[in-house]
Coordinates of all heavy atoms in Angstrom, one line a residue:
M221 N -47.4 2.9 -38.2 CA -46.7 2.5 -39.5 C -45.2 2.3 -39.2 O -44.6 3.2 -38.7 CB -47.0 3.6 -40.5 CG -47.0 3.0 -41.9 SD -48.0 4.0 -43.0 CE -46.8 5.3 -43.4
T222 N -44.7 1.2 -39.5 CA -43.3 0.9 -39.2 C -42.6 0.5 -40.5 O -43.1 -0.5 -41.1 CB -43.2 -0.2 -38.2 OG1 -44.0 0.1 -37.1 CG2 -41.7 -0.3 -37.7
R223 N -41.6 1.2 -40.9 CA -40.8 0.8 -42.1 C -39.4 0.3 -41.6 O -38.7 0.9 -40.9 CB -40.6 2.0 -43.0 CG -39.9 1.7 -44.3 CD -40.1 2.8 -45.3 NE -41.4 2.8 -45.9 CZ -41.8 2.0 -46.9 NH1 -40.9 1.2 -47.4 NH2 -43.0 2.1 -47.4
R224 N -39.1 -0.9 -42.0 CA -37.9 -1.6 -41.7 C -36.9 -1.4 -42.8 O -37.3 -1.5 -44.0 CB -38.0 -3.0 -41.4 CG -38.3 -3.3 -39.9 CD -37.9 -4.8 -39.6 NE -36.5 -5.0 -39.7 CZ -35.9 -6.1 -39.3 NH1 -36.6 -7.2 -38.9 NH2 -34.6 -6.3 -39.4
T225 N -35.6 -1.3 -42.5 CA -34.6 -1.2 -43.5 C -33.7 -2.5 -43.5 O -33.3 -3.0 -42.5 CB -33.7 0.0 -43.3 OG1 -34.5 1.2 -43.3 CG2 -32.6 0.1 -44.4
Y226 N -33.5 -3.0 -44.7 CA -32.6 -4.2 -44.9 C -31.4 -3.7 -45.7 O -31.6 -3.2 -46.9 CB -33.4 -5.3 -45.7 CG -34.6 -5.8 -44.9 CD1 -35.8 -5.1 -45.1 CD2 -34.4 -6.8 -44.0 CE1 -36.9 -5.5 -44.3 CE2 -35.5 -7.2 -43.3 CZ -36.7 -6.6 -43.4 OH -37.8 -7.0 -42.7
Y227 N -30.3 -3.7 -45.1 CA -29.1 -3.1 -45.7 C -28.3 -4.0 -46.6 O -28.0 -5.2 -46.2 CB -28.2 -2.6 -44.5 CG -28.8 -1.5 -43.7 CD1 -29.5 -1.8 -42.5 CD2 -28.8 -0.2 -44.1 CE1 -30.1 -0.8 -41.8 CE2 -29.4 0.8 -43.3 CZ -30.1 0.5 -42.2 OH -30.7 1.5 -41.4
G228 N -27.9 -3.5 -47.7 CA -27.1 -4.2 -48.7 C -25.8 -3.5 -49.0 O -25.7 -2.3 -48.6
E229 N -25.0 -4.1 -49.8 CA -23.7 -3.4 -50.2 C -24.0 -2.2 -51.1 O -23.4 -1.2 -50.9 CB -22.9 -4.5 -50.9 CG -21.5 -4.1 -51.2 CD -20.6 -4.0 -50.0 OE1 -20.8 -4.6 -49.0 OE2 -19.6 -3.2 -50.1
D230 N -24.8 -2.4 -52.1 CA -25.1 -1.4 -53.1 C -26.5 -0.8 -53.0 O -26.8 0.2 -53.7 CB -24.9 -2.0 -54.5 CG -23.4 -2.4 -54.7 OD1 -22.5 -1.7 -54.3 OD2 -23.2 -3.5 -55.3
I231 N -27.3 -1.5 -52.3 CA -28.7 -1.1 -52.3 C -29.4 -1.4 -51.0 O -29.1 -2.5 -50.4 CB -29.5 -1.7 -53.5 CG1 -30.9 -1.1 -53.6 CG2 -29.6 -3.2 -53.4 CD1 -31.6 -1.5 -54.9
N232 N -30.1 -0.5 -50.4 CA -30.9 -0.8 -49.2 C -32.4 -1.0 -49.6 O -32.8 -0.3 -50.5 CB -30.9 0.3 -48.2 CG -29.5 0.4 -47.6 OD1 -28.7 -0.5 -47.6 ND2 -29.2 1.6 -47.0
V233 N -33.1 -1.9 -49.0 CA -34.5 -2.1 -49.3 C -35.3 -1.8 -48.0 O -34.9 -2.3 -46.9 CB -34.7 -3.6 -49.8 CG1 -36.2 -3.8 -49.9 CG2 -34.0 -3.8 -51.1
T234 N -36.3 -1.1 -48.1 CA -37.2 -0.8 -46.9 C -38.5 -1.5 -47.2 O -39.0 -1.6 -48.3 CB -37.3 0.7 -46.6 OG1 -38.1 1.3 -47.6 CG2 -36.0 1.3 -46.5
F235 N -39.2 -1.9 -46.1 CA -40.4 -2.6 -46.1 C -41.4 -2.1 -45.0 O -41.0 -2.0 -43.9 CB -40.2 -4.1 -46.0 CG -41.5 -4.9 -46.0 CD1 -42.3 -5.0 -47.1 CD2 -41.8 -5.6 -44.8 CE1 -43.5 -5.7 -47.1 CE2 -43.0 -6.3 -44.8 CZ -43.8 -6.4 -45.9
D236 N -42.6 -1.8 -45.4 CA -43.6 -1.4 -44.5 C -44.8 -2.5 -44.6 O -45.5 -2.5 -45.5 CB -44.2 0.0 -44.8 CG -45.2 0.5 -43.7 OD1 -45.8 -0.4 -43.0 OD2 -45.3 1.7 -43.6
A237 N -44.8 -3.4 -43.6 CA -45.8 -4.5 -43.6 C -47.2 -4.0 -43.6 O -48.1 -4.7 -44.1 CB -45.6 -5.4 -42.4
D238 N -47.5 -2.8 -43.1 CA -48.9 -2.3 -43.1 C -49.4 -2.0 -44.4 O -50.6 -2.0 -44.7 CB -48.9 -1.0 -42.2 CG -48.7 -1.3 -40.7 OD1 -48.9 -2.5 -40.3 OD2 -48.3 -0.4 -40.0
L239 N -48.5 -1.7 -45.4 CA -48.9 -1.4 -46.7 C -49.0 -2.6 -47.7 O -49.6 -2.5 -48.7 CB -47.9 -0.4 -47.4 CG -47.8 1.0 -46.7 CD1 -46.7 1.9 -47.3 CD2 -49.1 1.7 -46.7
C240 N -48.3 -3.7 -47.3 CA -48.2 -4.8 -48.2 C -49.6 -5.4 -48.5 O -50.4 -5.6 -47.7 CB -47.4 -5.9 -47.5 SG -47.2 -7.4 -48.5
Q241 N -49.8 -5.6 -49.8 CA -51.1 -6.2 -50.3 C -50.9 -7.7 -50.7 O -51.8 -8.3 -51.3 CB -51.6 -5.4 -51.6 CG -51.9 -4.0 -51.3 CD -52.0 -3.2 -52.6 OE1 -51.7 -3.6 -53.7 NE2 -52.5 -2.0 -52.4
H242 N -49.8 -8.2 -50.4 CA -49.5 -9.7 -50.6 C -49.8 -10.1 -52.0 O -50.3 -11.2 -52.3 CB -50.4 -10.5 -49.6 CG -50.2 -10.1 -48.2 ND1 -49.1 -10.3 -47.4 CD2 -51.0 -9.3 -47.4 CE1 -49.2 -9.8 -46.2 NE2 -50.3 -9.1 -46.2
S243 N -49.3 -9.3 -52.9 CA -49.5 -9.6 -54.3 C -48.4 -10.7 -54.7 O -48.6 -11.4 -55.7 CB -49.3 -8.4 -55.2 OG -47.9 -7.9 -55.1
G244 N -47.4 -10.8 -54.0 CA -46.3 -11.8 -54.2 C -45.4 -11.4 -55.3 O -44.6 -12.3 -55.7
R245 N -45.4 -10.2 -55.9 CA -44.5 -9.9 -57.0 C -43.1 -9.9 -56.5 O -42.2 -10.2 -57.3 CB -44.8 -8.5 -57.5 CG -46.1 -8.5 -58.3 CD -46.2 -7.2 -59.1 NE -47.6 -7.0 -59.5 CZ -48.0 -6.0 -60.1 NH1 -47.2 -4.9 -60.4 NH2 -49.3 -5.9 -60.5
C246 N -42.8 -9.6 -55.3 CA -41.4 -9.6 -54.8 C -40.9 -11.0 -54.8 O -39.8 -11.3 -55.3 CB -41.3 -8.9 -53.5 SG -42.5 -9.5 -52.3
V247 N -41.6 -11.9 -54.1 CA -41.1 -13.3 -54.0 C -41.1 -14.0 -55.3 O -40.2 -14.9 -55.5 CB -41.9 -14.1 -52.9 CG1 -41.7 -13.5 -51.5 CG2 -43.4 -14.0 -53.2
S248 N -42.0 -13.7 -56.2 CA -42.0 -14.4 -57.5 C -40.9 -13.8 -58.4 O -40.3 -14.5 -59.2 CB -43.3 -14.4 -58.2 OG -43.8 -13.1 -58.4
G249 N -40.6 -12.5 -58.2 CA -39.7 -11.8 -59.1 C -38.2 -12.2 -58.7 O -37.4 -12.4 -59.6
L250 N -37.9 -12.3 -57.4 CA -36.6 -12.6 -57.0 C -36.6 -13.4 -55.7 O -36.4 -12.9 -54.6 CB -35.8 -11.3 -56.7 CG -35.0 -10.6 -57.8 CD1 -34.3 -9.3 -57.3 CD2 -34.0 -11.6 -58.4
P251 N -36.9 -14.7 -55.9 CA -37.1 -15.6 -54.7 C -35.8 -15.7 -53.8 O -36.0 -15.9 -52.6 CB -37.5 -16.9 -55.3 CG -37.3 -16.8 -56.7 CD -37.2 -15.4 -57.1
Q252 N -34.7 -15.5 -54.4 CA -33.5 -15.5 -53.6 C -33.3 -14.3 -52.7 O -32.6 -14.4 -51.7 CB -32.2 -15.8 -54.4 CG -31.8 -14.6 -55.3 CD -32.5 -14.7 -56.7 OE1 -33.7 -14.9 -56.8 NE2 -31.7 -14.4 -57.8
V253 N -33.9 -13.2 -53.0 CA -33.8 -12.0 -52.2 C -35.0 -11.9 -51.3 O -34.8 -11.6 -50.1 CB -33.8 -10.7 -53.2 CG1 -33.9 -9.5 -52.3 CG2 -32.5 -10.8 -54.0
F254 N -36.2 -12.2 -51.8 CA -37.4 -12.1 -50.9 C -37.9 -13.5 -50.6 O -38.4 -14.2 -51.5 CB -38.5 -11.3 -51.7 CG -38.0 -9.9 -52.1 CD1 -37.6 -9.7 -53.4 CD2 -38.0 -8.9 -51.2 CE1 -37.1 -8.4 -53.8 CE2 -37.5 -7.6 -51.5 CZ -37.1 -7.4 -52.8
E255 N -37.8 -13.9 -49.4 CA -38.3 -15.2 -49.0 C -39.1 -15.1 -47.7 O -38.5 -14.9 -46.6 CB -37.1 -16.2 -48.8 CG -37.6 -17.6 -48.6 CD -36.5 -18.6 -48.5 OE1 -35.5 -18.4 -49.2 OE2 -36.7 -19.6 -47.7
V256 N -40.4 -15.2 -47.8 CA -41.2 -15.1 -46.6 C -40.9 -16.3 -45.7 O -40.8 -17.4 -46.2 CB -42.7 -15.1 -47.0 CG1 -43.6 -15.0 -45.8 CG2 -43.0 -13.9 -47.9
G257 N -40.8 -16.1 -44.4 CA -40.5 -17.2 -43.5 C -39.0 -17.2 -43.1 O -38.6 -17.8 -42.1
R258 N -38.1 -16.6 -44.0 CA -36.7 -16.5 -43.6 C -36.5 -15.3 -42.8 O -37.3 -14.3 -42.9 CB -35.9 -16.5 -44.9 CG -34.4 -16.4 -44.6 CD -33.6 -16.3 -45.9 NE -34.0 -15.0 -46.6 CZ -33.8 -14.8 -47.9 NH1 -33.3 -15.7 -48.7 NH2 -34.2 -13.6 -48.4
R259 N -35.6 -15.3 -41.9 CA -35.2 -14.0 -41.1 C -33.8 -13.7 -41.4 O -32.9 -14.5 -41.0 CB -35.5 -14.2 -39.6 CG -37.0 -14.3 -39.3 CD -37.7 -12.9 -39.5 NE -39.1 -13.0 -39.3 CZ -40.0 -13.2 -40.3 NH1 -39.6 -13.3 -41.5 NH2 -41.3 -13.2 -40.0
P260 N -33.4 -12.6 -42.0 CA -34.4 -11.6 -42.5 C -35.0 -12.1 -43.8 O -34.4 -12.8 -44.5 CB -33.5 -10.3 -42.7 CG -32.1 -10.9 -43.0 CD -32.0 -12.2 -42.2
W261 N -36.2 -11.6 -44.0 CA -36.9 -12.1 -45.2 C -36.4 -11.4 -46.5 O -36.6 -11.9 -47.6 CB -38.4 -12.0 -45.1 CG -39.0 -10.7 -45.4 CD1 -39.1 -9.6 -44.5 CD2 -39.7 -10.3 -46.6 NE1 -39.8 -8.6 -45.1 CE2 -40.1 -9.0 -46.4 CE3 -39.9 -10.9 -47.8 CZ2 -40.8 -8.3 -47.4 CZ3 -40.6 -10.2 -48.8 CH2 -41.0 -8.9 -48.6
V262 N -35.7 -10.3 -46.3 CA -35.1 -9.6 -47.5 C -33.6 -9.6 -47.4 O -33.0 -9.2 -46.4 CB -35.5 -8.1 -47.6 CG1 -35.0 -7.4 -48.8 CG2 -37.1 -8.0 -47.5
L263 N -32.9 -10.1 -48.4 CA -31.4 -10.1 -48.5 C -31.0 -9.3 -49.7 O -31.0 -9.9 -50.9 CB -30.9 -11.6 -48.6 CG -31.0 -12.5 -47.4 CD1 -30.5 -13.9 -47.7 CD2 -30.3 -11.9 -46.2
P264 N -30.8 -8.0 -49.6 CA -30.6 -7.1 -50.8 C -29.4 -7.6 -51.6 O -29.3 -7.3 -52.8 CB -30.4 -5.8 -50.1 CG -31.1 -5.8 -48.8 CD -30.9 -7.2 -48.3
D265 N -28.4 -8.2 -51.0 CA -27.2 -8.6 -51.7 C -27.3 -10.0 -52.4 O -26.3 -10.4 -53.1 CB -26.0 -8.7 -50.7 CG -25.6 -7.3 -50.3 OD1 -25.9 -6.3 -51.0 OD2 -24.9 -7.2 -49.2
A266 N -28.4 -10.6 -52.4 CA -28.6 -11.9 -53.0 C -28.8 -11.9 -54.5 O -28.9 -12.9 -55.1 CB -29.7 -12.7 -52.3
A267 N -28.9 -10.7 -55.1 CA -29.0 -10.5 -56.5 C -28.4 -9.2 -56.9 O -28.0 -8.4 -56.1 CB -30.5 -10.6 -56.9
D268 N -28.2 -9.0 -58.2 CA -27.7 -7.8 -58.7 C -28.6 -6.6 -58.3 O -29.8 -6.7 -58.3 CB -27.7 -7.9 -60.3 CG -27.1 -6.6 -60.9 OD1 -25.9 -6.5 -60.9 OD2 -27.9 -5.8 -61.4
A269 N -28.0 -5.5 -57.9 CA -28.7 -4.4 -57.3 C -29.7 -3.8 -58.3 O -30.8 -3.3 -58.0 CB -27.8 -3.3 -56.9
D270 N -29.4 -3.9 -59.6 CA -30.3 -3.4 -60.7 C -31.6 -4.2 -60.7 O -32.7 -3.7 -60.9 CB -29.7 -3.4 -62.0 CG -28.6 -2.3 -62.2 OD1 -28.7 -1.3 -61.4 OD2 -27.7 -2.4 -63.0
R271 N -31.4 -5.5 -60.5 CA -32.6 -6.4 -60.5 C -33.4 -6.2 -59.3 O -34.7 -6.2 -59.3 CB -32.1 -7.9 -60.6 CG -31.9 -8.4 -62.0 CD -33.2 -8.5 -62.8 NE -34.1 -9.5 -62.3 CZ -35.4 -9.5 -62.3 NH1 -36.0 -8.4 -62.9 NH2 -36.2 -10.4 -61.9
V272 N -32.7 -6.0 -58.1 CA -33.4 -5.7 -56.9 C -34.3 -4.5 -57.0 O -35.5 -4.4 -56.7 CB -32.5 -5.6 -55.7 CG1 -33.2 -5.2 -54.4 CG2 -31.7 -7.0 -55.5
A273 N -33.7 -3.4 -57.6 CA -34.4 -2.1 -57.8 C -35.6 -2.3 -58.7 O -36.7 -1.8 -58.5 CB -33.4 -1.1 -58.4
Q274 N -35.4 -3.2 -59.8 CA -36.5 -3.4 -60.7 C -37.7 -4.1 -60.0 O -38.8 -3.7 -60.2 CB -35.9 -4.3 -61.8 CG -36.7 -4.4 -63.1 CD -36.0 -5.2 -64.1 OE1 -35.3 -6.2 -63.8 NE2 -36.1 -4.9 -65.4
V275 N -37.4 -5.1 -59.2 CA -38.5 -5.9 -58.6 C -39.1 -5.0 -57.5 O -40.3 -5.0 -57.4 CB -37.9 -7.2 -58.0 CG1 -39.0 -7.9 -57.1 CG2 -37.6 -8.1 -59.2
V276 N -38.3 -4.3 -56.8 CA -38.9 -3.4 -55.7 C -39.8 -2.4 -56.4 O -40.9 -2.1 -55.9 CB -37.8 -2.7 -54.9 CG1 -38.3 -1.5 -54.1 CG2 -37.1 -3.7 -54.0
S277 N -39.4 -1.9 -57.6 CA -40.3 -0.9 -58.3 C -41.6 -1.5 -58.7 O -42.6 -0.8 -59.0 CB -39.5 -0.4 -59.5 OG -38.4 0.3 -59.1
S278 N -41.6 -2.8 -58.9 CA -42.9 -3.5 -59.3 C -43.8 -3.7 -58.2 O -45.0 -4.2 -58.4 CB -42.5 -4.8 -60.0 OG -42.2 -5.8 -59.1
C279 N -43.4 -3.4 -57.0 CA -44.3 -3.6 -55.8 C -45.5 -2.6 -56.0 O -45.3 -1.4 -56.0 CB -43.6 -3.3 -54.5 SG -44.6 -3.2 -53.0
P280 N -46.7 -3.1 -56.0 CA -47.9 -2.2 -56.3 C -48.3 -1.4 -55.2 O -49.1 -0.4 -55.4 CB -49.0 -3.2 -56.7 CG -48.6 -4.5 -56.0 CD -47.1 -4.5 -55.9
S281 N -47.9 -1.7 -54.0 CA -48.5 -1.0 -52.8 C -47.6 0.1 -52.2 O -48.1 0.9 -51.4 CB -48.8 -2.0 -51.7 OG -47.5 -2.5 -51.2
G282 N -46.3 0.1 -52.6 CA -45.4 1.0 -52.0 C -44.8 0.5 -50.7 O -44.1 1.1 -50.0
A283 N -45.2 -0.8 -50.4 CA -44.6 -1.4 -49.2 C -43.1 -1.5 -49.3 O -42.4 -1.4 -48.3 CB -45.2 -2.8 -49.0
L284 N -42.6 -1.9 -50.5 CA -41.2 -2.0 -50.7 C -40.7 -0.7 -51.4 O -41.3 -0.2 -52.4 CB -40.9 -3.2 -51.6 CG -41.0 -4.6 -51.0 CD1 -40.8 -5.6 -52.1 CD2 -39.9 -4.8 -49.9
L285 N -39.6 -0.2 -50.9 CA -38.9 0.9 -51.5 C -37.4 0.6 -51.5 O -37.0 -0.2 -50.7 CB -39.1 2.3 -50.8 CG -40.6 2.8 -50.8 CD1 -40.7 4.0 -49.9 CD2 -41.1 3.1 -52.2
Y286 N -36.6 1.3 -52.3 CA -35.2 1.1 -52.3 C -34.4 2.4 -52.2 O -34.9 3.4 -52.6 CB -34.7 0.2 -53.4 CG -34.8 0.8 -54.8 CD1 -33.7 1.7 -55.2 CD2 -35.9 0.6 -55.6 CE1 -33.8 2.3 -56.5 CE2 -35.9 1.2 -56.9 CZ -34.9 2.1 -57.3 OH -35.0 2.7 -58.5
E287 N -33.2 2.3 -51.8 CA -32.2 3.4 -51.9 C -30.9 2.9 -52.4 O -30.4 1.9 -51.8 CB -31.9 4.1 -50.5 CG -32.9 3.8 -49.4 CD -32.4 4.4 -48.1 OE1 -31.3 3.9 -47.6 OE2 -33.1 5.2 -47.6
R288 N -30.5 3.4 -53.6 CA -29.2 3.0 -54.1 C -28.1 3.8 -53.3 O -28.3 4.9 -52.9 CB -29.1 3.4 -55.6 CG -30.0 2.7 -56.5 CD -29.9 1.2 -56.4 NE -28.6 0.8 -57.1 CZ -28.6 0.3 -58.3 NH1 -29.7 0.1 -59.0 NH2 -27.4 -0.1 -58.9
K289 N -27.0 3.1 -53.0 CA -26.0 3.7 -52.1 C -24.9 4.5 -52.9 O -24.3 5.3 -52.4 CB -25.4 2.6 -51.3 CG -26.4 2.0 -50.4 CD -25.9 0.8 -49.6 CE -25.4 1.2 -48.3 NZ -25.2 0.1 -47.4
H290 N -24.8 4.1 -54.2 CA -23.7 4.8 -55.0 C -24.3 5.6 -56.2 O -23.5 6.0 -57.0 CB -22.7 3.8 -55.4 CG -22.2 2.9 -54.3 ND1 -21.4 3.4 -53.3 CD2 -22.3 1.6 -54.0 CE1 -21.1 2.5 -52.4 NE2 -21.7 1.4 -52.9
Q291 N -25.6 5.6 -56.3 CA -26.2 6.4 -57.4 C -27.3 7.3 -56.9 O -27.7 7.1 -55.8 CB -26.8 5.4 -58.4 CG -25.7 4.5 -59.1 CD -26.4 3.4 -60.0 OE1 -27.5 3.6 -60.5 NE2 -25.7 2.4 -60.2
A292 N -27.7 8.1 -57.7 CA -28.7 9.1 -57.3 C -30.1 8.7 -57.8 O -31.0 9.6 -57.9 CB -28.4 10.5 -57.8
D293 N -30.4 7.4 -58.0 CA -31.7 7.1 -58.5 C -32.6 6.4 -57.5 O -33.4 5.6 -57.8 CB -31.5 6.2 -59.8 CG -30.9 4.8 -59.4 OD1 -30.4 4.7 -58.3 OD2 -31.1 3.9 -60.2
S294 N -32.4 6.7 -56.2 CA -33.2 6.1 -55.2 C -34.6 6.6 -55.3 O -34.9 7.7 -55.8 CB -32.7 6.5 -53.8 OG -31.4 6.0 -53.6
Q295 N -35.5 5.8 -54.8 CA -36.9 6.2 -54.8 C -37.1 7.2 -53.6 O -36.5 7.1 -52.6 CB -37.8 5.0 -54.6 CG -37.9 4.1 -55.7 CD -38.7 2.8 -55.4 OE1 -38.6 2.2 -54.4 NE2 -39.6 2.5 -56.4
A296 N -38.1 8.1 -53.8 CA -38.4 9.0 -52.7 C -39.2 8.2 -51.6 O -39.9 7.2 -51.9 CB -39.3 10.1 -53.2
Q297 N -39.0 8.5 -50.4 CA -39.7 7.8 -49.3 C -41.0 8.5 -48.9 O -41.0 9.7 -48.9 CB -38.8 7.7 -48.0 CG -37.5 7.0 -48.3 CD -37.5 5.6 -47.7 OE1 -38.4 5.3 -46.9 NE2 -36.6 4.8 -48.0
Ligands
SF4_10 S1 -44.7 -6.9 -54.1 FE1 -45.1 -5.4 -52.4 S2 -47.3 -5.7 -52.0 FE2 -46.6 -7.5 -53.1 S3 -46.1 -9.0 -51.5 FE3 -44.2 -7.9 -52.1 S4 -44.1 -6.2 -50.6 FE4 -46.2 -7.0 -50.5

């Protein structure tokens, strides 16, 4: 199991491909942040950190998680 971290200014996003169920909620929720086929495919700074956190929270599999860098509301890993 490998979890990769994508670093942003206000929020980091981590992704574990083994858990992804390909529901597409991330790419449909914030296409400017999550774009399959782009490298890196996650750009945490491409949208407001609150929106990024919201869409990451909607990931049904736990493949995506986030950590806020200036607040204490990060998800547990
Ligand atoms: S929302 Fe989560 S499970 Fe769905 S495609 Fe994105 S990372 Fe995978």
Side-chain angles (χ1 to χ4, degrees):
M221 210 155 78
T222 311
R223 184 167 284 279
R224 268 204 67 175
T225 302
Y226 299 87
Y227 296 93
E229 188 73 24
D230 297 318
I231 188 168
N232 293 338
V233 175
T234 68
F235 175 67
D236 187 334
D238 293 337
L239 297 178
C240 179
Q241 297 166 349
H242 308 286
S243 67
R245 284 195 201 172
C246 49
V247 291
S248 61
L250 271 179
Q252 68 272 45
V253 173
F254 302 99
E255 187 178 327
V256 179
R258 183 185 59 200
R259 289 292 176 265
W261 83 278
V262 183
L263 291 177
D265 288 339
D268 182 77
D270 288 337
R271 274 294 291 150
V272 174
Q274 198 177 30
V275 170
V276 167
S277 297
S278 77
C279 172
S281 67
L284 286 172
L285 296 172
Y286 69 84
E287 339 172 300
R288 298 298 290 258
K289 298 173 91 167
H290 307 295
Q291 296 176 23
D293 68 344
S294 298
Q295 291 177 314
Q297 297 257 347

